[in-house]
Amino acid sequence: SQQGEEDPQALSIQEGENATMNCSYKTSINNLQWYRQNSGRGLVHLILIRSNEREKHSGRLRVTLDTSKKSSSLLITASRAADTASYFCATGLSGNTPLVFGKGTRLSVIA
Amino acid sequence: DVKVTQSSRYLVKRTGEKVFLECVQDMDHENMFWYRQDPGLGLRLIYFSYDVKMKEKGDIPEGYSVSREKKERFSLILESASTNQTSMYLCASSAGGRGTDTQYFGPGTRLTVL
């Protein structure tokens, strides 16, 4: 049951530029989370934003949530080569349903 | 730090073999999950467990079973491996009583079925 859908599927930028990834979803959510996955590894949690929050920051990461449009964006500022990875959004629905992950955005940061 | 470990990073098995993938977490988490990840398909939930001896089917349980005899350990079993089960398998755990909490992932097992 795919809920979140990231856009774009792939993104290539120069080091120092900002990277923006978007996530759209279909049903009401309890929270939305962003994860990073380096090639061939497990996912690492980056940030969680609750449905009653509109914006959240963590270091160079900024996440926004627009529940009226059912969308979220992840902004990575001043990107580095080490930010090269796939980024997934995951929606936390109501009740006890497990997180539903999107298919991810593949980010390449070129030095 | 939460640590989730998986028994193997790489595994090669033959068609028809019984395969066990083990996952252990060290943070006393209630919830554990098994996913498979394939190119272009993202993460798909196979099975999950919110308590010892409890299991729930995810989106793609066919061909798999699970076992959770102890809180810290969640095993994924392929009763008779097939080539279409070649994939990356990811285990995750989360605290609390809700499935929407933050998940902590293991490093993954890349399984090849010949």
Side-chain angles (χ1 to χ4, degrees):
Chain A
S1 55
Q2 214 75 34
Q3 153 89 320
E5 196 162 313
E6 293 89 344
D7 171 61
Q9 290 185 353
L11 180 61
S12 185
I13 59 173
Q14 298 287 329
E15 210 168 25
E17 292 180 341
N18 295 342
T20 300
M21 288 157 268
N22 302 296
C23 172
S24 58
Y25 56 92
K26 295 174 184 166
T27 62
S28 296
I29 60 171
N30 179 285
N31 66 58
L32 188 142
Q33 304 177 30
W34 286 91
Y35 290 78
R36 185 185 75 198
Q37 183 182 35
N38 289 93
S39 182
R41 308 296 296 182
L43 279 70
V44 174
H45 178 257
L46 294 175
I47 199 164
L48 180 154
I49 186 165
R50 302 190 190 286
S51 59
N52 61 354
E53 297 176 310
R54 291 296 166 258
E55 189 170 313
K56 210 159 180 183
H57 296 256
S58 177
R60 293 183 296 113
L61 305 181
R62 173 179 167 248
V63 168
T64 60
L65 179 64
D66 187 335
T67 52
S68 66
K69 294 181 180 178
K70 293 187 169 57
S71 69
S72 172
S73 67
L74 170 67
L75 168 68
I76 305 173
T77 59
S79 62
R80 306 166 183 169
D83 294 327
T84 294
S86 291
Y87 292 82
F88 294 85
C89 69
T91 47
L93 308 180
S94 60
N96 218 12
T97 310
L99 293 177
V100 180
F101 287 82
K103 295 181 182 178
T105 291
R106 195 169 58 254
L107 172 66
S108 298
V109 181
I110 302 162
Chain B
D1 275 356
V2 177
K3 193 163 185 186
V4 179
T5 57
Q6 294 184 228
S7 49
S8 306
R9 288 284 285 125
Y10 299 94
L11 206 54
V12 180
K13 294 291 180 181
R14 299 242 173 239
T15 301
E17 279 193 78
K18 191 168 186 175
V19 182
F20 292 87
L21 302 182
E22 303 285 339
C23 176
V24 178
Q25 49 92 5
D26 67 357
M27 284 302 291
D28 202 35
H29 281 177
E30 303 287 337
N31 311 324
M32 297 189 76
F33 308 85
W34 273 108
Y35 298 89
R36 66 176 282 177
Q37 184 178 25
D38 301 288
L41 297 178
L43 271 74
R44 292 182 291 168
L45 182 62
I46 305 172
Y47 268 97
F48 60 101
S49 169
Y50 287 162
D51 201 355
V52 176
K53 296 192 187 295
M54 176 267 184
K55 60 184 178 184
E56 295 271 2
K57 291 180 180 179
D59 299 319
I60 52 162
E62 297 79 18
Y64 304 94
S65 62
V66 289
S67 172
R68 194 167 182 200
E69 295 296 317
K70 294 185 178 181
K71 192 175 186 180
E72 67 271 17
R73 188 180 297 269
F74 193 34
S75 303
L76 180 69
I77 303 154
L78 286 66
E79 294 289 342
S80 178
S82 63
T83 54
N84 63 12
Q85 292 178 311
T86 290
S87 186
M88 169 73 104
Y89 289 87
L90 293 166
C91 174
S93 71
S94 68
R98 294 192 310 176
T100 58
D101 290 338
T102 297
Q103 292 188 12
Y104 297 86
F105 283 80
T109 295
R110 189 167 292 281
L111 172 67
T112 302
V113 183
L114 302 175

